[in-house]
Every structure is written in C-alpha cells, then in structure tokens.
Amino acid sequence: MADRITQLQDYINNQADNFCNAIGVLHRFAVPSPVPGFDRGSATPQQNQTEMQDLAKIYAEQIARTAKDIDVLIESLPSEESTTDLQVASLQKLEHENFEAALKLESVVKEGETLLEHLQKVLHEIAQSQLQSQDVTMDTN
C-alpha cells in the first residue's frame, strides 16, 4: 500500500486526466462560432446530443468523485499543529485503549473457557446417564 502522499499524487494525476478528457469531449462536440465576414459553410455536422450529455455527466461525476477523494486524503495528512508531544500523547492514549481492550478480551476468553468446561461436564454426565440406562435395559432383557 502506498503512503498518503503517493496516493495524493496518483489522485491528482487522475484528476488531470479527467480534466483533459473532459476538455477533449467539449472540443469534440463544440459547435463552431460564427465569424462575421467569413463563412466556412453553413453545413454543420449533426451532433449527437445524448452522447454528449452522457459523456459530460460521466466526466462530471468522475471529476467530483476524484475531488472528494483528494479532499479526504488531504484531511488525513498530519497538520502543522501536530507536534511530537501531541503525537506521543495520542500514541499513549491508543496504547492505554489497547491495554484495556486486551484485559477485556482476556476476561471474555476466561469466561468462555469456564462455560466450555461446564458444558463438557454436562455432556459427560449425559453420556454417562445414557450408558447406564442402556446397561439397565440390557440387564432386564
């Protein structure tokens, strides 16, 4: 997995591609502007409006999505206000939360082991009772 700066560079390059492709679509479907005193011909090619609208929508969505991804990556970068002391305090807090979670996990595991032992004892007693009842029915036959 790439670091955040590399991801940000990739998204910015992707956004540049999106802009270039969107400009290409605009250029492809652009209607020539009339110039007074110069007539290149009155025939203009038929433009497929639905295709242009579809492509415009696709590129607008891609540009918006990529911009949103860029914003998220920028927000995830450490700020200038982040000092070593703040980072150490944050790490200590995370270590404390991790320690508490480990204690809770140990407690749950012990409780589970106790329940498992109890269940095994009950199953053993059931098996013993079934064996004894089979012995009794065999003796009576």
Side-chain angles (χ1 to χ4, degrees):
M1 172 109 177
D3 66 340
R4 289 185 201 145
I5 297 294
T6 304
Q7 286 178 328
L8 185 59
Q9 289 171 336
D10 291 342
Y11 278 111
I12 289 172
N13 287 337
N14 190 16
Q15 189 73 311
D17 288 342
N18 290 338
F19 283 131
C20 287
N21 290 334
I23 290 171
V25 168
L26 291 175
H27 183 263
R28 177 178 168 200
F29 291 106
V31 178
S33 297
V35 177
F38 181 73
D39 186 22
R40 287 182 64 172
S42 59
T44 58
Q46 279 290 350
Q47 301 292 327
N48 187 348
Q49 290 295 325
T50 57
E51 181 184 2
M52 183 181 83
Q53 289 173 348
D54 290 343
L55 287 173
K57 182 179 178 183
I58 289 170
Y59 282 111
E61 289 172 355
Q62 285 180 344
I63 289 169
R65 187 179 327 114
T66 305
K68 190 176 193 179
D69 292 342
I70 290 171
D71 286 341
V72 169
L73 278 173
I74 289 172
E75 290 297 321
S76 72
L77 294 173
S79 66
E80 292 177 2
E81 299 169 357
S82 179
T83 64
T84 306
D85 294 336
L86 288 173
Q87 291 175 356
V88 168
S90 176
L91 285 174
Q92 287 175 342
K93 179 182 174 191
L94 289 172
E95 286 175 355
H96 179 71
E97 290 173 0
N98 187 23
F99 180 75
E100 288 178 356
L103 290 177
K104 185 176 180 181
L105 178 62
E106 287 177 10
S107 170
V108 169
V109 167
K110 285 181 183 178
E111 184 180 337
E113 289 174 346
T114 304
L115 289 172
L116 178 62
E117 287 175 16
H118 178 68
L119 184 61
Q120 287 174 339
K121 286 179 185 178
V122 170
L123 288 173
H124 180 72
E125 290 173 7
I126 291 171
Q128 290 297 328
S129 296
Q130 286 179 340
L131 286 174
Q132 287 174 358
S133 67
Q134 285 177 356
D135 287 343
V136 168
T137 56
M138 289 213 164
D139 289 340
T140 57
N141 288 335

